[in-house]
Amino acid sequence: MNSLLRLGSYVCQSVQIAGCGLQQVRTKYADWRMIRDVKRRKCVSEHAKERLRVNSLRKNDILPIELREVADAEIAAFPRDSSLVRVRERCALTSRPRGVVHKYRLSRIVWRHLADYNKLSGVQRAMW
């Protein structure tokens, strides 16, 4: 009996060591790409006002070239992810990057599936 208890405790310890005692964490994001995109969106919103100010200095033709070069250096000092170009529209359910219906934030595949089963308000399949 005592040996069975020791064996059971050994098995429990080995499972904890193998898994490092961590369980899978569920989040509201579909995968790691969506998490990365959310971080980029947050970075864009943090630096938006400063980037707009510096970009307007950079693109102003009336200002001297030296001042515009300083603005170029300031833009280069911002984080890469603070640029709006790096943000990608993704499906909210599957994180699919292409074929996203903008109004619903769903990919065309998910959108059509939900429309087939009357899960989207105001959407009706065409029948003739």
Side-chain angles (χ1 to χ4, degrees):
M1 183 71 181
N2 201 7
S3 63
L4 284 177
L5 289 175
R6 274 189 264 146
L7 180 63
S9 64
Y10 173 75
V11 169
C12 290
Q13 287 174 355
S14 65
V15 169
Q16 288 177 348
I17 291 169
C20 299
L22 300 175
Q23 292 182 347
Q24 183 179 6
V25 178
R26 295 279 182 192
T27 63
K28 58 186 174 183
Y29 305 116
D31 62 351
W32 58 271
R33 292 177 196 90
M34 190 180 273
I35 293 171
R36 185 173 61 188
D37 194 58
V38 168
K39 287 180 184 176
R40 285 181 179 160
R41 287 174 190 270
K42 186 189 278 187
C43 188
V44 165
S45 65
E46 286 175 3
H47 297 283
K49 291 181 182 177
E50 302 159 39
R51 280 187 73 93
L52 181 64
R53 178 183 57 80
V54 176
N55 258 335
S56 62
L57 291 174
R58 220 176 109 224
K59 295 179 181 180
N60 193 342
D61 294 336
I62 300 170
L63 295 175
I65 295 174
E66 295 84 18
L67 195 62
R68 285 189 280 169
E69 288 175 352
V70 170
D72 279 339
E74 280 188 38
I75 279 289
F78 279 111
R80 270 193 189 164
D81 287 341
S82 67
S83 176
L84 188 62
V85 175
R86 296 187 47 107
V87 173
R88 179 81 188 197
E89 293 293 325
R90 290 188 166 272
C91 174
L93 293 180
T94 61
S95 182
R96 189 174 199 275
R98 298 169 72 175
V100 176
V101 180
H102 183 75
K103 182 179 176 182
Y104 295 95
R105 285 186 54 214
L106 297 172
S107 70
R108 59 184 175 79
I109 300 162
V110 174
W111 187 88
R112 184 173 179 197
H113 177 75
L114 293 176
D116 283 345
Y117 294 99
N118 297 326
K119 301 291 183 187
L120 297 176
S121 63
V123 175
Q124 186 176 9
R125 280 293 297 270
M127 288 183 257
W128 60 88

